[in-house]
């Protein structure tokens, strides 16, 4: 009996030594919303233990805020160092139904505490998104990121794509491309931090004539105006075909393989147009989003 008591005392002391000074979860729920805090804390412990094992320990608490009145979208607030789960008609239960999203946002918080130099106004947001997705994948490896997040779609995105980082734009899209490469190459989580030092080389440029070039890819045209976009690809990417999404009101005329004339003939049903870059076998290697509107 004495041996059993001594063993239990040793185990308790060992657990205390492991958790002393470790990061804890602080849940802010000012509106008193019905939240399964035990389950959320369980997810936090699993995520934290994995981060500690793969990268390193943390000493400060992590704050999660649920349903704040001025909350715009679920995500990590890099300024206030706080994970927000927000009310949204498209989102299930503030986003708390999706373990992938929880792990993704917690990773941002973990990393910013572990390496504050990787966060801030000049941070590589695309790499942050890539590593947060990769972290979620390693904790729950399957085909999709973000099941049970949206009300009207089954998941947020696929983990694996054929995208090349140099053929896409935007922090989440480029992050998706980078995360897919990390998954394919089975990079260790700690080694994946080296991505912050590796710049993405642009593999396509678009030459615009007929209109001043917009770095946001936003253009407004009169019905009698024609603008031209010519895509120039790096030889190694082997893009075989450029395909534009069809949007009523916007005319896309192919002049040659990679040169297009664009007209806004009537007010478009949607100003947003997607252009896809395909390989010879039809795989989507990249994409860009353009916005074409009418001046009147």
């Amino acid at each position: 009996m004495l041996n059993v008591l001594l063993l239990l005392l040793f185990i308790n002391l060992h657990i205390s030594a492991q958790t002393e000074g470790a990061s804890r979860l602080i849940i802010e729920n000012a509106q008193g919303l019905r939240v399964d805090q035990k389950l959320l804390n369980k997810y936090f412990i699993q995520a934290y233990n994995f981060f500690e094992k793969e990268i390193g320990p943390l000493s400060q608490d992590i704050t999660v805020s649920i349903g704040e009145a001025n909350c715009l979208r679920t995500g990590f607030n890099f300024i206030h160092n706080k994970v927000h789960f927000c009310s949204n008609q498209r989102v299930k239960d503030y986003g708390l139904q999706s373990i992938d999203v929880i792990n993704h946002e917690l990773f941002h918080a973990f990393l910013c505490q572990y390496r504050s130099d990787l966060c801030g106004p000049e941070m590589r947001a695309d790499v942050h998104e890539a590593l947060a997705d990769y972290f979620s994948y390693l904790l729950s490896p399957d085909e999709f990121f973000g099941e049970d997040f949206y009300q009207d779609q089954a998941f947020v995105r696929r983990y694996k794509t054929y995208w090349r980082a140099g053929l896409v734009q935007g922090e989440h899209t480029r992050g998706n491309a980078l995360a897919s490469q990390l998954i394919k190459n089975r990079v260790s989580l700690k080694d994946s931090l080296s991505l912050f030092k590796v710049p993405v080389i642009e593999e396509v440029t678009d030459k615009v004539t007929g209109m001043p070039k917009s770095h946001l890819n936003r253009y407004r045209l009169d019905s009698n105006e024609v603008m031209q976009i010519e895509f120039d690809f790096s030889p190694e990417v082997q893009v075989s075909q450029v395909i534009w999404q069809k949007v009523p009101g916007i005319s896309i005329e192919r002049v040659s393989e990679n040169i297009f004339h664009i007209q806004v003939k009537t007010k478009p049903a949607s100003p947003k147009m997607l252009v896809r870059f395909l390989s010879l076998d039809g795989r989507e290697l990249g994409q860009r989003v353009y916005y074409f509107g009418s001046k009147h």
Side-chain angles (χ1 to χ4, degrees):
M1 186 66 177
L2 180 60
N3 289 337
V4 173
L5 290 174
L6 289 173
L7 178 61
L8 289 174
L9 178 61
F10 172 78
I11 292 172
N12 287 333
L13 287 173
H14 181 62
I15 292 173
S16 298
Q18 283 186 315
T19 58
E20 184 179 357
S23 181
R24 298 171 303 166
L25 180 66
I26 304 299
I27 299 175
E28 294 180 352
N29 184 3
Q31 299 188 55
L33 302 169
R34 295 185 64 182
V35 174
D36 191 338
Q37 297 194 21
K38 287 185 178 179
L39 183 60
L40 184 55
N41 194 62
K42 176 185 174 182
Y43 291 156
F44 169 81
I45 292 171
Q46 290 172 346
Y48 174 75
N49 286 343
F50 184 66
F51 184 92
E52 183 181 42
K53 174 187 172 186
E54 296 294 317
I55 296 182
L58 306 176
S59 59
Q60 300 175 27
D61 296 336
I62 301 295
T63 300
V64 164
S65 176
I66 301 170
E68 274 190 18
N70 61 347
C71 186
L72 298 176
R73 67 177 183 85
T74 292
F76 178 65
N77 188 313
F78 285 87
I79 297 174
H80 298 113
N81 293 317
K82 186 184 296 187
V83 178
H84 288 279
F85 291 94
C86 305
S87 176
N88 188 300
Q89 290 185 347
R90 284 194 65 202
V91 173
K92 295 181 181 179
D93 189 26
Y94 305 92
L96 294 169
Q97 294 294 321
S98 177
I99 189 170
D100 289 340
V101 171
I102 292 170
N103 288 332
H104 177 106
E105 303 305 342
L106 285 174
F107 178 82
H108 287 310
F110 293 160
L111 188 59
C112 286
Q113 186 184 140
Y114 181 77
R115 287 280 305 274
S116 60
D117 59 303
L118 299 178
C119 301
E122 303 301 321
M123 70 182 182
R124 286 282 305 278
D126 58 338
V127 177
H128 261 282
E129 294 304 323
L131 269 58
D133 269 14
Y134 190 41
F135 181 75
S136 300
Y137 175 83
L138 292 172
L139 279 166
S140 182
D142 58 23
E143 186 177 355
F144 306 111
F145 169 80
E147 298 98 324
D148 296 317
F149 183 71
Y150 287 122
Q151 297 277 9
D152 56 353
Q153 61 189 63
F155 56 90
V156 176
R157 55 183 167 268
R158 295 179 184 272
Y159 278 116
K160 299 177 184 178
T161 76
Y162 293 107
W163 290 341
R164 296 175 63 98
L167 289 180
V168 294
Q169 294 178 320
E171 57 195 45
H172 284 91
T173 309
R174 187 164 280 180
N176 199 176
L178 293 171
S180 184
Q181 287 299 309
L182 291 172
I183 293 168
K184 178 182 177 181
N185 296 327
R186 299 183 179 182
V187 180
S188 75
L189 189 60
K190 188 153 193 175
D191 287 346
S192 69
L193 295 180
S194 64
L195 273 182
F196 282 103
K197 298 179 181 179
V198 181
V200 171
I201 306 300
E202 298 288 349
E203 296 178 320
V204 58
T205 57
D206 61 342
K207 181 182 178 182
V208 175
T209 53
M211 294 286 292
K213 182 173 173 61
S214 166
H215 295 290
L216 298 176
N217 299 339
R218 294 178 180 270
Y219 299 94
R220 286 188 175 274
L221 295 87
D222 280 326
S223 58
N224 61 345
E225 289 182 305
V226 179
M227 65 176 289
Q228 177 178 292
I229 296 180
E230 178 180 359
F231 294 105
D232 183 24
F233 297 98
S234 300
E236 64 271 15
V237 304
Q238 298 184 340
V239 169
S240 176
Q241 195 174 10
V242 177
I243 302 294
W244 286 87
Q245 172 191 15
K246 293 182 179 179
V247 172
I250 302 176
S251 169
I252 306 289
E253 178 190 356
R254 186 186 296 272
V255 179
S256 65
E257 186 176 6
N258 295 327
I259 300 177
F260 302 87
H261 284 172
I262 296 101
Q263 279 186 283
V264 178
K265 297 199 170 182
T266 61
K267 186 176 180 179
S270 167
K272 182 178 179 180
M273 288 192 73
L274 181 71
V275 59
R276 303 165 62 224
F277 310 135
L278 306 183
S279 66
L280 187 62
D281 58 2
R283 294 178 177 180
E284 185 174 297
L285 301 177
Q287 58 174 238
R288 278 196 176 182
V289 174
Y290 289 83
Y291 299 87
F292 301 109
S294 174
K295 285 184 178 178
H296 303 290

